[in-house]
Amino acid sequence: PRLPDCPAPTAGAGAGTVRGHIVVAGGEDAAESTLVNHVFRFTGGASWSDEQMLVPRHGIELADFGGRAWACGGATAAGYQAAVSCTSIG
C-alpha cells in the first residue's frame, strides 16, 4: 500500500524507522536555499506527525542504533557546509 504524502517536499532527507515508526528527517528545498528542519513520523492511519529537528541537516541517511535513528555527517546549511557531528531522533 502507498503511504500518504509527507507534509512537505524535501531533497536530501534521511529515512528510517524508530521503534517501528517510519521517520523522514531533514533535507532541503528544491532550490537548495533552505533547510527542512522537520522530522516527519508516520505511525499509521492517514497522516504524519511533524516535529522540529534538534540539529537540522541534509544529505544524510539515518542509521538505527540503540532504539534511535542517527544522522551523522551531511550538512548543516543549505547548499553544502559539511558537518562532523551526529544527532539522533528517538
Side-chain angles (χ1 to χ4, degrees), residues 2-83:
R2 185 180 185 281
L3 296 176
D5 292 342
C6 278
T10 180
T17 59
V18 176
R19 293 180 291 231
H21 299 148
I22 298 168
V23 295
V24 177
E28 63 185 357
D29 67 359
E32 295 185 359
S33 62
T34 305
L35 288 183
V36 177
N37 62 344
H38 297 273
V39 175
F40 303 121
R41 189 180 310 259
F42 182 74
T43 58
S47 63
W48 295 78
S49 67
D50 181 359
E51 58 196 76
Q52 295 291 311
M53 286 186 79
L54 181 62
V55 179
R57 60 182 66 211
H58 71 92
I60 59 171
E61 292 185 36
L62 298 180
D64 181 20
F65 180 75
R68 300 184 69 81
W70 290 85
C72 297
T76 56
Y80 187 76
Q81 301 293 325

